[in-house]
Amino acid sequence: MNVLSIVTVISLFISFFLAFFLVTVKTEHKTSNRLFAFFLIITAIDISDPLISLVADVPSNPGMLRNSLAFLQIPAFYLYVLSVCYSDFKLKPKHLLHLLPFLAVNLVLLPHFYMVDLASKINFIEHRQSRIELQFNHILFHIQIVTYFIAVFILLRKAKKLYLENYAGISINSYHWLFQFTSVLTILYLIVILKNIFKFSEYPYISEWIKIGILVFELFIICWYLYKALNNPGLFRNIDSRLQLVSDIVLEEKKNEPQTVSDHEFSEDLTKLKKYMMEEKPFLNPSLTIQDISDAIGIPTRELSVLINHRVGQHFYDFVNTYRVEEAMDILKDGTKTKVTILEILYEVGFNSKSSFNTAFKKHTGNTPTFYRKNL
């Protein structure tokens, strides 16, 4: 218990410190930061059990309410992912529907726990394995876990495709982070499900050992949150939720407008696009979007998106990076620039990270930039 108490105190301190940082830091993404802070606070309250048990060893209404707050963790996480993915996200009355599981579990507990005396509460807890209310709550919790995580992975898949079709900046890192975040939480909640299975089995002591492992695991996860937040303060840049996937646009056009764009029009627009990319070099802007190019060459964003992502057959992200790599290759071939480092080149041509530059360069040439320069 002493070790668990120490681990819990450290976890609580880091969680509340990070939540305070997220709420007070100056940023454009206040909604997402506040949702993440709320998620951290709810999680901190949930893992405070070892400390609470040292102070209050009898069941109480506040204690049961604290346990039921677990039903708010995953909805808070889902809304956080939404707010990071979409720049125009706003909390609306419809989002109150996410409170329904939390309200349902407390309503179920009302007659036989919240509204009875202490002796009845103790009896309720002592016979928890046979209580239909607690079994219902655990089943609902597991359904909630599966439903929300499926929804989050579908959301991330769509958001990443939208980003690749419309943006060519550093924000792809946001989706890498969110995917890592979701994957780690998925593993954590799968362990929680395993713990709950043993809790209602003939081996409840195994559930207690798994619970100890979860508390230690959560400490490492919270430290990872802190590292990410402090090391990448400008990690997130969102996309507009009104954007459509090109596949949906093409399908819609086939239904509404059977006549497709002629090959001649396609050729003219593509020539205009390539000329602009070669002469003006907009790809040198690390935050370039398809809207920027649309405004510059006078082709509507919707048509330009279909042109690049569907007719050319490349995501906008890859299309722009191709020009960046070609520019980098020209610099690497320049004998007067042999002393210019790879890091300087990648920033010069519009990349923002070494990993994305190396990935794009190898995809285009089959070699790393360093190997390419050595074998010229």
Side-chain angles (χ1 to χ4, degrees):
M1 285 302 300
N2 289 334
V3 174
L4 282 182
S5 297
I6 293 171
V7 169
T8 304
V9 168
I10 295 172
S11 297
L12 291 178
F13 174 78
I14 296 175
S15 296
F16 285 114
F17 172 77
L18 181 53
F20 176 77
F21 167 78
L22 290 168
V23 170
T24 57
V25 68
K26 293 182 179 180
T27 177
E28 296 178 0
H29 314 304
K30 291 182 179 180
T31 301
S32 59
N33 277 10
R34 288 169 181 170
L35 285 169
F36 195 13
F38 178 72
F39 170 79
L40 287 171
I41 291 170
I42 294 297
T43 302
I45 294 173
D46 183 49
I47 64 177
S48 63
D49 186 68
L51 292 181
I52 300 297
S53 61
L54 292 177
V55 179
D57 57 353
V58 293
S60 64
N61 289 350
M64 184 60 75
L65 182 63
R66 181 185 63 82
N67 290 333
S68 67
L69 288 175
F71 284 88
L72 296 179
Q73 288 182 39
I74 306 179
F77 165 67
Y78 174 75
L79 292 176
Y80 166 69
V81 173
L82 269 178
S83 68
V84 172
C85 287
Y86 299 119
S87 58
D88 53 347
F89 173 84
K90 292 181 181 179
L91 287 172
K92 300 177 181 178
K94 69 178 183 179
H95 292 132
L96 291 174
L97 292 174
H98 293 286
L99 294 175
L100 289 179
F102 170 73
L103 296 175
V105 298
N106 283 287
L107 188 62
V108 167
L109 292 168
L110 198 61
H112 296 117
F113 188 87
Y114 286 123
M115 300 180 67
V116 298
D117 57 21
L118 180 58
S120 299
K121 284 180 169 64
I122 293 174
N123 181 68
F124 185 91
I125 296 300
E126 286 178 347
H127 298 86
R128 57 184 175 272
Q129 288 186 318
S130 59
R131 299 301 306 194
I132 188 66
E133 295 93 340
L134 293 181
Q135 292 176 6
F136 166 78
N137 290 354
H138 277 81
I139 291 172
L140 181 60
F141 183 62
H142 296 160
I143 293 173
Q144 186 191 50
I145 289 174
V146 174
T147 303
Y148 271 93
F149 276 107
I150 289 175
V152 169
F153 278 114
I154 291 173
L155 170 64
L156 289 177
R157 183 173 178 270
K158 180 181 178 182
K160 184 176 180 180
K161 288 182 69 176
L162 281 171
Y163 178 82
L164 292 175
E165 290 179 357
N166 296 276
Y167 298 86
I170 61 172
S171 300
I172 194 67
N173 294 334
S174 298
Y175 303 101
H176 292 158
W177 145 249
L178 283 177
F179 183 80
Q180 293 169 4
F181 187 10
T182 305
S183 299
V184 169
L185 283 186
T186 301
I187 294 171
L188 176 64
Y189 279 103
L190 286 175
I191 297 174
V192 170
I193 291 175
L194 181 64
K195 175 186 76 71
N196 289 339
I197 290 173
F198 280 108
K199 186 175 182 178
F200 287 91
S201 72
E202 298 178 357
Y203 310 98
Y205 64 92
I206 297 179
S207 175
E208 292 302 316
W209 281 106
I210 295 176
K211 184 177 180 179
I212 294 171
I214 290 172
L215 287 172
V216 176
F217 186 30
E218 285 194 325
L219 173 60
F220 285 102
I221 293 176
I222 292 168
C223 290
W224 179 55
Y225 295 161
L226 181 63
Y227 170 80
K228 281 289 188 179
L230 297 180
N231 214 36
N232 301 277
L235 185 64
F236 306 124
R237 178 187 172 205
N238 320 79
I239 60 178
D240 192 330
S241 65
R242 292 170 295 182
L243 291 173
Q244 287 182 277
L245 290 172
V246 168
S247 57
D248 294 335
I249 295 175
V250 172
L251 185 61
E252 183 181 315
E253 288 183 347
K254 285 182 178 178
K255 290 180 178 178
N256 300 332
E257 301 176 13
Q259 66 277 16
T260 57
V261 178
S262 68
D263 291 338
H264 178 67
E265 290 176 340
F266 163 70
S267 179
E268 282 187 346
D269 289 345
L270 185 59
T271 300
K272 183 190 295 186
L273 172 63
K274 289 183 175 180
K275 182 180 179 182
Y276 175 72
M277 295 296 288
M278 293 297 293
E279 294 180 354
E280 302 299 328
K281 298 187 177 181
F283 51 84
L284 299 180
N285 174 11
S287 300
L288 182 68
T289 69
I290 200 167
Q291 181 68 55
D292 297 331
I293 296 180
S294 171
D295 294 340
I297 63 178
I299 299 177
T301 306
R302 183 185 175 101
E303 294 179 15
L304 185 60
S305 181
V306 173
L307 173 67
I308 298 172
N309 294 288
H310 179 64
R311 299 296 294 269
V312 175
Q314 275 187 302
H315 286 312
F316 177 74
Y317 182 81
D318 294 326
F319 177 78
V320 173
N321 281 346
T322 298
Y323 284 92
R324 289 171 175 166
V325 170
E326 291 286 350
E327 185 74 9
M329 291 169 64
D330 290 340
I331 297 174
L332 291 170
K333 293 174 184 176
D334 191 341
T336 63
K337 297 184 178 181
T338 55
K339 292 185 179 181
V340 179
T341 66
I342 299 295
L343 190 63
E344 290 173 325
I345 292 173
L346 73 90
Y347 285 123
E348 184 179 337
V349 300
F351 286 97
N352 286 89
S353 71
K354 192 172 182 178
S355 60
S356 60
F357 175 57
N358 286 338
T359 300
F361 197 95
K362 193 168 184 179
K363 184 177 181 179
H364 186 69
T365 66
N367 296 309
T368 62
T370 304
F371 184 85
Y372 181 83
R373 169 177 265 179
K374 287 180 179 178
N375 289 272
L376 286 174

